[in-house]
Amino acid sequence: MGFIGWIVLGLIAGVIAKVLMPGKDPGGCIITILLGIAGAFVGGWVGKTLFHVELGTFFDLRTWGLAVLGALIILVGYRLLFGGRRRD
């Protein structure tokens, strides 16, 4: 999968993760893309390590499921680190 494919996959996986985990999140569109791209890598690692599956092609359902799972994991960590801070 090419660089643009990873960005598109990351954007969509990040948006899906935010839809699945409603609530106020710190960050905007760029953070969503970065969380999604990082989530795709984390999802690929989790799939390979725990489930013994690997990322397939761009249109493979397994690729999308692992990317969204990874984005959810990254989003939870991001909320734990940066979500509780308040600006005074």
Side-chain angles (χ1 to χ4, degrees), residues 2 4 20 23-24 26 31 38 43 46-47 50 54 57 74 76 81-82 84 86:
I4 301 297
L20 292 175
K24 189 164 183 159
I31 298 297
V46 167
L50 297 180
E54 295 191 23
T57 63
I74 296 287
V76 167
L81 288 174
F82 299 108
R86 301 172 84 181

Side-chain angles (χ1 to χ4, degrees), residues 55-88:
L55 292 175
T57 63
F58 184 80
F59 295 105
D60 191 0
L61 185 60
R62 187 177 34 188
T63 301
W64 287 90
L66 289 172
V68 171
L69 175 68
L72 285 169
I73 291 169
I74 296 287
L75 184 58
V76 167
Y78 184 72
R79 282 186 180 180
L80 290 174
L81 288 174
F82 299 108
R85 295 184 181 175
R86 301 172 84 181
R87 292 183 184 175
D88 292 327

Side-chain angles (χ1 to χ4, degrees), residues 1-15 17 29-45 55 58 63-64 66-72 74-75:
M1 201 166 22
F3 183 71
I4 301 297
W6 278 105
I7 291 175
V8 171
L9 176 68
L11 172 64
I12 296 170
V15 169
C29 184
I30 299 298
I31 298 297
T32 300
I33 292 171
L34 294 176
L35 289 175
I37 292 170
F41 285 109
V42 168
W45 178 79
L55 292 175
F58 184 80
T63 301
W64 287 90
L66 289 172
V68 171
L69 175 68
L72 285 169
I74 296 287
L75 184 58

